[in-house]
Amino acid sequence: MGANRIPIINTGFTKGDSGLAQRLQREIEGEVLFDAFSRGRYSTDASHYQIEPLGVVVAKTEQDVRTAMEIAAEEGIPLLPRGGGTSQCGQTIGEALVVDVSKHLNKVIDFDADAGTASVEPGIALDQLNAFLNPHGYMFTVDVSTSSRATIGGMTGNNSCGARSIRYGTMRDNVRAIDALLTDGSEYRFGELPGDLSDSSLPPGYRDLATTLLKLGAREAEEIFARFPRLMRRVGGYNIDALVPGASNHPGGGQPNLAHLLVGSEGTLAFSTRVHLGLHRQPKHKVLGICHFPTFYGAMESTQHIVKLDPAAVELVDRNMMDLARDIDMFRPTIEKFVQGEPDSLLLVEFAGDALEPQLAKLRDLNTLMSDLGYPNAVVEATTGADQSEFWNVRKSGLNIMMSMKGDGKPISFIEDCAVPLEDLAEYTDRLTNVFTKYGTKGTWYAHASVGCLHVRPVVNLKEEVGAGTMRAIAEEAFEMVREYKGSHSGEHGDGIVRSEFHRPMFGDRMIDNFEEVKDIFDPDGIMNPGKIVHPPKFDDRSLLRFKPGYESLKLDTALDWSEWGGLGGAVEMCNNNGACRKFDAGVMCPSFRATQDEQHLVRGRANTLRLALSGQLGEDAFTSDEMRATMELCVGCKGCKRECPTGVDMSRMKTEFLYHYNRRHGLTLRDKLVAYLPRYAPWASKFAWLANLRDGIPGLAKLSEAVAGLSARRTLPKWRGDAFNARTQHAGPATGTPVVMLADTFNTYFEPENLIAATRVLASAGYRVEFAEAPTGERPLCCGRTFLAAGLVDEARAEAARTIEALKPHVEAGTPIIGLEPSCLLTLRDEFAAILPGPDSEALAGRAMLFEEFIAQQADAGRLTLDLQPTPQKRALLHGHCHQKAFAVMGSVEKTLRLIPGLDVETVTSSCCGMAGAFGYQKETYDVSMKMAEASLLPAVRKESTDSYIVADGTSCRHQIHDGAARDAVHVARVLADALQTD
């Protein structure tokens, strides 16, 4: 059809069109999302662009995909396939009907161990696939850093590569065939073509398509040889070299494979419904050498020599990334452990194979080579799997570590995929660094040194018009350099909006005509993901950016301190959409997404919605609307994102801020008041415990409480104790002992006083003088304010914090440890106090506050713990960690404390949130989600555990969930230690 053809898209439909939505709802089995909030959540990916879709279909079946495509073709509207939405170039956003396959179409369809192949649906994430393959000794080797959420369909669309492409190649090298739908309704398996296309077994339509494409390849063979860079990391444009035998440097040359034409096509040609993959056996042994360099140039110059040792990977971590990682709690220990001195750059060199000794020999060769290059004693060796995994996690999080930079200027992805020959790498990176300096910025370098594809993101402020101009100027100079070195401007993350505009200078006019011809052959009406690869918009068009002209965040009188980010808007904008919260591994984040797999109930989804509301893009009063409340409803305040989101998006704190404003507008429900004010009425309720406990004893009262207060009748309530713990009368331990101060929280005081008694006994037995924090005479007991924060009652929480800080101030000034049992309460002193009462007093208290198990483990490590512990009757303990223990990296202390008991075997349950999460599990509308969270791993593990074992859980809510869901009684670690004390 020609180079000037522009796709004709039906303009009769508007975003959120009700007529289109109604038709889809009638014919689609999955979800159809056309409301403004849902469209907003799907308007961004991990790029710096934002384009609102017409609507969203969350496909439940392959038939849903067919139906959506049929409707799109009939109505003349564009359609956009989407997986995890982690594209860095804008491939997965557009003014189109978005079809999300990640929730349901995520299964392994077929696995052949003998052949080493697997067939999968496009929505399966790489880590999910490898978890399936691992027991069989196989792996899919295109190991992208976003493996926990990158889908195979998205990786295929981008022609993803990963850290070990030097050994295993790209997606193109590992995709055998693709089942795909075309816009005319036809379905074919695209794969290697037979030598004779007249083969009668080929579908006639597929044979005609292949004939047309092969004619194009034969006609353009000379141009393809002349124009396509001879690099593995060339993923720009369409892979039409796959139509010409011998034109590609990829393995499997022989007959043309039409699947390789779909690989890297970014959903612009067809919709993949099955991807057929080649697999590799897992190497039995890996070793890692962390090479230290005093200069970045030296690291780049050395790479060409290191690859001659046949490594599986050579990855870069530069000085900027090391410094940023040191500022992130979860990465700081790793940097301190493995990085020696103050190097400017590191190269992570991995060797892998079936025998260990050859890999160790290569590690010795690496040390020798580094010495020969002038860097003696510059290799830190990591030979255990745990050590290697620990440092690889830093490298895999490189993108998000960079994006943890605060302020309006952000590291922007637009030239980060350039690849050049290794012999030119040092000179290229040096020249590009000078370009950054010329435009008053800098970049952080990381990733694939082994193949000359270093990711770099210059810091640019796209909120300002000058920022877009700077971005274009740098891009034009960088791409000109890449062409000079005969490199590739698109080396891994695809084209999307970012690089498609630059295909013409890279490939020439004739090749652009070829790309457009391929597009027209597959998609003559231009329906599939328009504007990507061919007919692109200007990449610096500010109307397409996330921060469009006039963007401004609402100025709020916030209840919490957000000054570190320049305000709440700046904190919300820290979310870069990379989707680490979509992971399904052993971490905490994000339990509600794991239960629902809905974008709405995801840290990223919530942050996007908050940003859109705060910037006025969802209409007036959107921030305090019921739709926003629904968006935040399933956030359980686990704080997993506080630790596990590398950009530091603390959704728990953001929910508190939201509830503060929402409840000021809408008021509190009865249930809100019952939960929030529990510490205030607890002293009185405990005096009438028999009456307060009638709800679960008299038939019908539970149903009544559900109808009146919204407390699920399927859930028992905590039992009030008439023998509540009285902190004013409790002191223990030798008078000359080292003093410690216990903070008796509301939950253990009025529901489980035996925990406080056990902790007191343990500390006294160890020789400590135990005192209890007391409010001034006549006042109610001290409280951390946790329950008030959960209801957004920040002013009430602030009052409680002020009382607590004042009461504890003399102890803090004396350097006395402040010890608590309930993680959610004690850790409020370390976290929220600084947000509601910022200042030196809060900081000082945070520095002295610790959980019981932290104190015990700390004293044991220092050799100051004198406890005569004996074996307990139970020889085994199954440990579940409270979310806040995990978020504040306290789990190691719990495990260490339990292992002080002779002969006790300790196993930690690999789990996310237990699902109770304070009041969340008691709410009638969230009960089912609560139980789904618990059933993911915790409750099945508890049910399997012997009745002779301890079930240990330090969180009150966790113990209640275990009791209700598995009919087992869990205990606090203090009670296990008390059981092990030598008795007279």
Side-chain angles (χ1 to χ4, degrees):
M1 287 191 173
N4 296 318
R5 177 189 178 279
I6 302 296
I8 299 174
I9 299 299
N10 188 333
T11 57
F13 287 99
T14 59
K15 296 168 185 175
D17 186 276
S18 60
L20 177 61
Q22 289 169 6
R23 180 179 178 188
L24 288 164
Q25 286 167 345
R26 287 195 302 269
E27 301 183 38
I28 293 288
E29 187 177 350
E31 297 110 299
V32 176
L33 309 173
F34 268 57
D35 63 285
F37 279 66
S38 294
R39 296 199 315 276
R41 284 186 279 270
Y42 279 86
S43 68
T44 50
D45 54 13
S47 71
H48 47 269
Y49 297 104
Q50 177 180 306
I51 306 174
E52 189 176 326
L54 299 175
V56 179
V57 168
V58 181
K60 190 172 184 179
T61 63
E62 282 187 20
Q63 184 55 47
D64 277 353
V65 175
R66 294 186 189 95
T67 300
M69 289 191 68
E70 289 171 6
I71 292 174
E74 290 174 12
E75 303 288 0
I77 60 172
L79 183 138
L80 197 166
R82 178 165 164 139
T86 59
S87 160
Q88 296 178 35
C89 304
Q91 289 98 321
T92 57
I93 56 173
E95 193 171 340
L97 178 64
V98 171
V99 180
D100 182 350
V101 297
S102 65
K103 181 174 182 178
H104 299 290
L105 299 179
N106 53 17
K107 310 297 188 299
V108 175
I109 302 301
D110 182 65
F111 168 64
D112 188 330
D114 293 333
T117 60
S119 300
V120 302
E121 292 178 319
I124 189 170
L126 176 57
D127 278 359
Q128 291 174 299
L129 171 59
N130 278 332
F132 172 87
L133 296 173
N134 183 60
H136 304 282
Y138 277 102
M139 62 180 180
F140 187 65
T141 51
V142 184
D143 56 338
V144 295
S145 61
T146 53
S147 59
S148 62
R149 60 271 193 198
T151 63
I152 294 297
M155 291 170 61
T156 301
N158 281 355
N159 193 9
S160 296
C161 304
R164 296 172 178 84
S165 63
I166 191 174
R167 173 70 58 84
Y168 299 112
T170 68
M171 283 298 291
R172 177 176 173 175
D173 303 315
N174 292 277
V175 170
R176 303 284 184 86
I178 298 173
D179 295 353
L181 300 170
L182 300 182
T183 57
D184 65 2
S186 54
E187 303 180 35
Y188 302 121
R189 175 163 295 181
F190 292 82
E192 184 173 303
L193 294 173
D196 183 4
L197 284 183
S198 63
D199 184 344
S200 61
S201 65
L202 292 177
Y206 183 66
R207 184 168 55 242
D208 293 343
L209 177 63
T211 299
T212 300
L213 291 169
L214 289 180
K215 286 180 179 178
L216 185 153
R219 185 190 75 211
E220 300 298 328
E222 186 175 339
E223 184 73 4
I224 291 170
F225 273 101
R227 286 290 189 175
F228 276 30
R230 306 296 289 176
L231 296 172
M232 173 194 293
R233 291 304 192 93
R234 197 280 303 161
V235 304
Y238 293 125
N239 292 326
I240 61 175
D241 56 332
L243 304 174
V244 184
S248 171
N249 64 329
H250 290 262
Q255 285 300 111
N257 188 324
L258 293 191
H260 295 172
L261 185 59
L262 295 185
V263 172
S265 64
E266 302 184 355
T268 64
L269 302 181
F271 200 123
S272 301
T273 56
R274 304 279 176 93
V275 185
H276 306 274
L277 306 169
L279 309 174
H280 287 81
R281 286 285 183 185
Q282 298 174 357
K284 295 179 180 178
H285 298 282
K286 296 179 182 178
V287 296
L288 180 67
I290 304 170
C291 301
H292 292 52
F293 294 88
T295 67
F296 177 75
Y297 190 93
M300 296 300 92
E301 180 66 26
S302 301
T303 302
Q304 60 186 311
H305 306 293
I306 291 174
V307 297
K308 295 175 183 176
L309 298 177
D310 189 30
V314 183
E315 296 285 292
L316 169 71
V317 174
D318 79 349
R319 176 84 246 157
N320 289 336
M321 188 179 295
M322 284 183 267
D323 290 342
L324 288 169
R326 276 198 178 95
D327 290 335
I328 299 172
D329 290 343
M330 69 183 299
F331 297 129
R332 184 182 305 111
T334 302
I335 295 296
E336 293 174 349
K337 179 178 180 181
F338 292 101
V339 178
Q340 296 182 343
E342 297 292 329
D344 184 80
S345 298
L346 305 174
L347 287 179
L348 282 58
V349 184
E350 180 184 272
F351 300 104
D354 289 336
L356 177 59
E357 181 51 40
Q359 314 318 314
L360 293 173
K362 288 182 179 180
L363 203 53
R364 293 191 291 270
D365 291 342
L366 177 64
N367 277 279
T368 301
L369 174 61
M370 287 290 288
S371 294
D372 292 344
L373 293 173
Y375 308 108
N377 303 313
V379 181
V380 172
E381 298 182 359
T383 56
T384 68
D387 281 350
Q388 292 169 46
S389 177
E390 188 175 345
F391 207 88
W392 272 117
N393 283 338
V394 175
R395 157 58 198 97
K396 288 183 70 173
S397 298
L399 169 61
N400 277 332
I401 289 174
M402 281 197 303
M403 297 305 291
S404 67
M405 189 179 297
K406 296 180 177 68
D408 288 342
K410 299 291 185 185
I412 302 298
S413 170
F414 61 100
I415 58 169
E416 72 167 13
D417 264 18
C418 297
V420 299
L422 281 184
E423 59 269 23
D424 299 318
L425 187 59
E427 183 179 293
Y428 162 71
T429 53
D430 188 55
R431 288 176 62 187
L432 191 53
T433 298
N434 291 334
V435 171
F436 299 156
T437 302
K438 172 182 173 181
Y439 291 101
T441 187
K442 61 180 181 179
T444 293
W445 298 87
Y446 72 106
H448 316 304
S450 60
V451 288
C453 182
L454 288 181
H455 298 327
V456 60
R457 290 188 165 209
V459 178
V460 179
N461 182 4
L462 289 181
K463 288 185 176 180
E464 299 176 351
E465 186 173 356
V466 67
T470 299
M471 182 171 67
R472 174 166 289 279
I474 293 174
E476 289 179 346
E477 291 201 34
F479 295 153
E480 183 178 355
M481 251 189 282
V482 169
R483 294 192 295 272
E484 178 184 332
Y485 290 117
K486 301 187 183 305
S488 169
H489 70 321
S490 190
E492 177 171 25
H493 296 151
D495 299 328
I497 302 171
V498 172
R499 279 180 283 275
S500 295
E501 179 190 344
F502 295 95
H503 287 339
R504 193 171 297 276
M506 172 61 68
F507 295 109
D509 291 344
R510 181 170 174 177
M511 193 58 67
I512 298 305
D513 289 347
N514 292 330
F515 290 164
E516 292 180 357
E517 185 176 347
V518 169
K519 169 72 169 175
D520 291 344
I521 291 170
F522 278 87
D523 180 24
D525 294 321
I527 286 173
M528 298 299 295
N529 199 7
K532 318 302 180 343
I533 300 182
V534 298
H535 309 300
K538 293 290 186 182
F539 94 114
D540 56 342
D541 181 347
R542 293 192 70 205
S543 70
L544 303 178
L545 299 181
R546 192 178 304 181
F547 302 122
K548 304 179 189 304
Y551 178 94
E552 187 176 1
S553 189
L554 179 68
K555 304 301 182 187
L556 286 177
D557 183 12
T558 58
L560 305 176
D561 179 23
W562 301 98
S563 58
E564 183 179 351
W565 298 270
L568 175 61
V572 170
E573 289 164 8
M574 289 299 296
C575 176
N576 74 328
N577 275 4
N578 193 252
C581 42
R582 290 179 64 94
K583 63 180 183 171
F584 281 80
D585 64 9
V588 179
M589 179 179 69
C590 172
S592 53
F593 176 72
R594 296 185 192 199
T596 68
Q597 297 187 50
D598 290 335
E599 186 72 22
Q600 175 178 351
H601 303 303
L602 176 66
V603 178
R604 179 179 75 177
R606 298 182 187 108
N608 270 323
T609 311
L610 284 169
R611 180 181 59 81
L612 292 167
L614 287 169
S615 57
Q617 297 180 67
L618 293 176
E620 190 176 356
D621 296 329
F623 178 58
T624 53
S625 66
D626 289 335
E627 291 87 350
M628 182 62 75
R629 167 114 190 168
T631 298
M632 304 298 288
E633 182 179 34
L634 297 192
C635 172
V636 296
C638 68
K639 298 189 183 180
C641 50
K642 178 181 175 63
R643 176 173 176 82
E644 296 174 26
C645 171
T647 62
V649 174
D650 187 346
M651 191 50 61
S652 176
R653 183 180 293 190
M654 291 174 185
K655 182 176 183 179
T656 297
E657 184 71 57
F658 159 72
L659 287 174
Y660 170 79
H661 295 275
Y662 180 88
N663 287 334
R664 290 182 75 184
R665 178 183 174 190
H666 297 275
L668 294 173
T669 65
L670 173 60
R671 184 177 63 204
D672 290 336
K673 294 174 182 177
L674 287 172
V675 173
Y677 286 93
L678 185 148
R680 299 271 177 94
Y681 64 76
W684 301 101
S686 68
K687 296 181 187 300
F688 301 96
W690 64 272
L691 180 61
N693 292 332
L694 288 179
R695 184 263 194 187
D696 292 328
I698 297 179
L701 284 187
K703 283 286 188 182
L704 181 62
S705 76
E706 180 173 291
V708 174
L711 297 170
S712 174
R714 293 179 285 175
R715 176 75 71 187
T716 64
L717 298 182
K719 293 291 185 290
W720 292 93
R721 294 282 289 271
D723 57 340
F725 188 85
N726 188 344
R728 296 186 188 280
T729 63
Q730 297 290 330
H731 301 279
T736 58
T738 301
V740 297
V741 174
M742 284 280 287
L743 186 61
D745 63 273
T746 299
F747 306 105
N748 283 301
T749 295
Y750 297 106
F751 299 115
E752 298 179 89
E754 58 271 19
N755 294 331
L756 287 164
I757 294 170
T760 303
R761 182 178 168 223
V762 170
L763 291 169
S765 297
Y768 298 99
R769 173 63 181 170
V770 184
E771 301 176 8
F772 279 84
E774 296 182 31
T777 303
E779 289 193 18
R780 64 183 182 278
L782 294 176
C783 170
C784 70
R786 175 85 255 156
T787 58
F788 289 115
L789 291 171
L793 296 176
V794 180
D795 293 334
E796 287 79 356
R798 185 178 292 111
E800 297 297 339
R803 294 175 63 240
T804 302
I805 290 172
E806 186 64 26
L808 293 175
K809 189 172 182 178
H811 302 293
V812 172
E813 291 176 343
T816 306
I818 311 298
I819 299 173
L821 298 188
E822 174 58 35
S824 62
C825 292
L826 187 282
L827 293 172
T828 298
L829 277 60
R830 294 229 295 253
D831 186 18
E832 282 89 354
F833 273 24
I836 57 180
L837 275 176
D841 289 344
S842 293
E843 293 175 8
L845 175 57
R848 302 305 304 171
M850 61 181 68
L851 286 166
F852 170 82
E853 57 269 22
E854 285 184 287
F855 179 75
I856 294 294
Q858 179 194 78
Q859 296 298 295
D861 287 343
R864 294 193 291 266
L865 186 69
T866 54
L867 273 178
D868 187 7
L869 298 175
Q870 303 298 313
T872 57
Q874 293 93 331
K875 301 302 180 184
R876 180 172 156 80
L878 183 70
L879 171 64
H880 165 71
H882 187 284
C883 291
H884 294 183
Q885 287 177 305
K886 298 170 188 174
F888 286 87
V890 180
M891 286 303 297
S893 297
V894 195
E895 294 164 346
K896 186 174 294 184
T897 297
L898 286 170
R899 290 193 173 103
L900 294 173
I901 299 171
L904 186 65
D905 176 33
V906 181
E907 179 184 347
T908 301
V909 180
T910 301
S911 64
S912 181
C913 180
C914 75
M916 185 63 86
F920 182 85
Y922 296 99
Q923 300 173 163
K924 65 178 181 180
E925 68 272 18
T926 54
Y927 172 83
D928 289 330
V929 175
S930 166
M931 295 308 298
K932 191 169 184 178
M933 291 178 186
E935 293 291 355
S937 52
L938 172 60
L939 294 184
V942 172
R943 294 188 191 108
K944 291 178 183 177
E945 190 63 32
S946 167
T947 55
D948 294 331
S949 300
Y950 284 111
I951 307 298
V952 182
D954 287 352
T956 297
S957 56
C958 305
R959 293 192 291 274
H960 202 126
Q961 181 76 299
I962 291 168
H963 178 271
D964 274 8
R968 293 289 299 273
D969 289 328
V971 296
H972 192 282
V973 66
R975 292 183 59 190
V976 183
L977 281 189
D979 284 354
L981 288 176
Q982 178 67 49
T983 56
D984 295 331

